[in-house]
Amino acid sequence: MAFNYNWNRRTFLGTLGALLGTLFSGRMAFALPPKARDKAAPLSGFGSTGNVYEELGVTTVINGQGTMTVLGGSLMRPEVEAVMAMAGRHFVSIPDLEVAAGKRIVEMLKLPEGYGAIVTSGAAAAMQSGLAGILTGDNPKFIEQLPDLTGLKSEVIIQKSHRNPFDHQLRSTGVKLVVIESREDLKKAINPQTAMMHFTNFADNEGQIKAEEWVKLAHENQIPAFIDAAADTPPVSRLWDFANMGYDLIAFSGGKAIRGPQCAGLLIGKKDLVAYALLNNSPHEDTLGRSQKVGKEEIVGMVKALESYLKEDHDALNKEWQRRLDYISGQITRIPGVTTSFPAPEIANHVPHMHIKWDSARIALTPREAAAALRSGKPSIVLASGEHGEVLSMNSFMLQPGEEKIIAQELGKVLKSHAA
Ligand SMILES: *Cc1c(COP(=O)(O)O)cnc(C)c1O
C-alpha cells in the first residue's frame, strides 16, 4: 500500500470495496449482512461532499509538526480503515476480543514467553490501567475502590527528569510520585509502599539511571518496572526491545508512527499484569478505566496497523522523509540569509527533522511570526517554532504527497516578503 493516503469518501469506499471483494468473493458474500453488500451506496447529507471537515467549517492543515494528538495524530492506512469497517458490522464479546487480539499481537511481535498484550484507548490509558492492575491484582474490591488506596501500595518512583504531563495518568490512580535523581536516592525511596518504578523512555539520556539499569534495580527489589515508550517507534524494534529487556509493562501509542486508530494504544507486559489491567478497564463498569473505552473497531484496527507497520520498508520510508526535507531546504536556502540543519531526536519521534534559521538583519521576522503566518495562510501549514520561539522546525513523516512543495512555496513567500 502507498504510504501516503488522501482520505476521501471515494478512495475509502473504493478500498473497502476492493478488500471486501477479495475477502468475501462468491459464496461468502451471501453470509454477509445486507449492509456489507451495499458498500458502494453513495452518501447523502453529511459527508456527501467527501470532506467532512469543510462541511463542518473546520480548516484542515498541512502537518509539518508530526504525530501530535492535538492535530489528529496520524492518518490510518486504507487497510486499517477497511478492517475497522468490517469490525463495525458484528457484535462480539469485548473481553474475548481483547484476549484474542492480544494473542495475535504477541505472536506478531514475537514477544518472549510469559508476555501478553491488550489494546487500550492510547498509551496514556495503558499507563493508567497498567498501574491500576499492579495496585489491585484481580481483587474486585480493590478494583472498585480505586483511587482510594486504603490497604494498597501507594507510591511510584520516577526520576526527576522523567516527570512529564502524562504522569497525570499515574497520579489518577491515587498514587504519590516519589521523585528521585541518584541511585542513592532510589535506594532510600524504596519501601513497602512502593508499587512500581516508572521510566519515561524519551528522557533516557537525561536521567542518571538508564533504561536497562532501571529494570534491573526494580527487579532486585521485587518491584515491577513500567516503561512509557509511547512515541518511541521508529525504530520498529522498540516494539520488542523493552520486553526483551525485562520490563513488566510497556506502553505504546497506536495512533502515532504506527498509524493505527487514533484512539488506540498498546499495553504489553507480563501476562498476569496485563490481565489485571484489563480488569481495571472498559468494558468493566465499576473501574477507573471505564472512561477509556476502546471499541471493537479500534482493537481490530490496531492488529491490522501493526501487521502493516511490521511489513513496511522502514529504510525506504526514512529516505523519503529526508528527501522531502531536502527538497524544502533546497528551495528556501536560495533566499539570502536562510540556512537549514537536520537534528533528528535520538529517542522518540526518531525521524528526520529540519531546523530553519535566517539572518534577522536580512529577514525581519521571528520564527514564531513565521509559524503564525503559515498557520493562518491558505492552505494552513503547521510547523513548530520551539518552546521559546527560538527556531522554526519541522519534520515530514506526516506530510501527504506533494505537500513538501506547498510548504517550500508558502514558506518561501513568507520569508521573501520580510526580506530587506
Ligand atoms: C503521546 C504520548 C503519550 C500518550 O499517548 P496516547 O496514545 O496519545 O494516549 C504518553 N507518553 C508520551 C511520552 C507520549 O509521547
Side-chain angles (χ1 to χ4, degrees):
M1 289 286 174
F3 168 61
N4 282 300
Y5 180 67
N6 266 320
W7 201 96
N8 67 47
R9 183 172 57 95
R10 196 142 30 97
T11 41
F12 170 60
L13 292 173
T15 313
L16 177 59
L19 278 166
L20 285 172
T22 341
L23 291 172
F24 299 108
S25 54
R27 208 158 45 91
M28 281 285 292
F30 294 99
L32 283 176
K35 261 194 194 148
R37 273 181 271 138
D38 64 19
K39 67 226 172 213
L43 287 182
S44 62
F46 181 61
S48 60
T49 67
N51 188 337
V52 286
Y53 299 116
E54 205 169 76
E55 287 183 36
L56 290 173
V58 181
T59 312
T60 57
V61 302
I62 291 177
N63 178 7
Q65 202 181 3
T67 54
M68 312 295 294
T69 300
V70 69
L71 293 178
S74 58
L75 303 186
M76 291 183 290
R77 294 178 185 80
E79 67 269 24
V80 174
E81 294 179 328
V83 297
M84 288 177 78
M86 288 178 200
R89 300 211 160 90
H90 301 275
F91 295 99
V92 68
S93 154
I94 296 295
D96 287 355
L97 178 62
E98 278 282 22
V99 170
K103 198 163 157 260
R104 177 65 68 92
I105 290 166
V106 166
E107 286 163 12
M108 282 196 293
L109 300 182
K110 301 187 175 68
L111 295 179
E113 188 60 31
Y115 275 78
I118 51 170
V119 177
T120 59
S121 66
M127 286 166 66
Q128 192 203 58
S129 46
L131 173 55
I134 287 174
L135 294 166
T136 64
D138 58 1
N139 184 321
K141 181 176 152 282
F142 290 157
I143 291 170
E144 284 165 24
Q145 108 186 15
L146 279 190
D148 170 1
L149 295 176
T150 309
L152 303 178
K153 294 185 178 180
S154 59
E155 295 179 6
V156 168
I157 301 176
I158 186 168
Q159 296 183 80
K160 189 174 174 191
S161 53
H162 288 226
R163 292 287 324 269
N164 71 79
F166 292 106
D167 62 43
H168 200 132
Q169 310 315 318
L170 304 177
R171 288 179 275 128
S172 70
T173 63
V175 301
K176 182 176 112 190
L177 295 183
V178 178
V179 180
I180 61 124
E181 287 186 78
S182 64
R183 289 171 187 81
E184 205 47 43
D185 293 347
L186 174 63
K187 213 182 262 175
K188 281 192 215 140
I190 292 172
N191 75 79
Q193 281 306 309
T194 308
M196 185 177 99
M197 282 170 55
H198 187 75
F199 197 89
T200 306
N201 198 47
F202 73 72
D204 198 6
N205 288 337
E206 274 109 75
Q208 293 181 22
I209 307 173
K210 310 296 177 203
E212 215 151 351
E213 188 183 354
W214 189 255
V215 63
K216 196 173 137 270
L217 291 171
H219 290 173
E220 277 172 21
N221 291 282
Q222 287 80 49
I223 297 167
F226 194 117
I227 189 162
D228 169 12
D232 290 335
T233 57
V236 64
S237 65
R238 294 274 202 236
L239 288 166
W240 46 87
D241 285 347
F242 301 118
N244 289 328
M245 225 181 257
Y247 271 89
D248 300 272
L249 287 173
I250 306 148
F252 288 103
S253 288
K256 290 182 181 167
I258 299 170
R259 297 176 62 205
Q262 184 47 207
C263 300
L266 285 177
L267 180 66
I268 289 170
K270 301 282 167 64
K271 268 185 184 158
D272 54 343
L273 295 182
V274 167
Y276 304 155
L278 184 53
L279 292 176
N280 276 281
N281 212 321
S282 180
H284 306 293
E285 289 174 355
D286 195 350
T287 64
L288 199 60
R290 178 60 183 80
S291 55
Q292 303 171 341
K293 182 189 284 187
V294 57
K296 54 195 182 304
E297 297 83 359
E298 283 81 21
I299 298 171
V300 162
M302 195 62 223
V303 172
K304 190 70 188 172
L306 269 179
E307 184 189 73
S308 297
Y309 190 62
L310 291 170
K311 276 197 290 203
E312 195 95 68
D313 182 344
H314 295 273
D315 287 340
L317 269 185
N318 222 54
K319 281 199 189 110
E320 167 60 14
W321 295 336
Q322 186 62 47
R323 184 200 65 75
R324 295 172 187 170
L325 296 181
D326 289 341
Y327 173 83
I328 296 169
S329 175
Q331 297 292 313
I332 58 172
T333 53
R334 289 184 193 168
I335 304 168
V338 178
T339 55
T340 54
S341 57
F342 301 88
E346 220 177 290
I347 312 173
N349 299 302
H350 180 66
V351 296
H353 279 61
M354 178 164 72
H355 281 184
I356 305 157
K357 285 189 174 162
W358 53 87
D359 179 353
S360 57
R362 298 174 93 151
I363 299 169
L365 188 74
T366 66
R368 205 170 261 164
E369 286 163 348
L374 291 170
R375 179 87 199 225
S376 61
K378 264 190 188 147
S380 175
I381 297 168
V382 181
L383 304 190
S385 56
E387 221 172 296
H388 311 289
E390 64 279 9
V391 65
L392 192 63
S393 72
M394 68 169 295
N395 53 55
S396 61
F397 71 137
M398 290 296 121
L399 295 183
Q400 301 304 291
E403 286 182 344
E404 72 276 14
K405 293 194 176 133
I406 302 173
I407 293 177
Q409 188 182 319
E410 297 303 312
L411 178 56
K413 271 193 228 161
V414 168
L415 294 172
K416 276 183 206 153
S417 70
H418 289 81

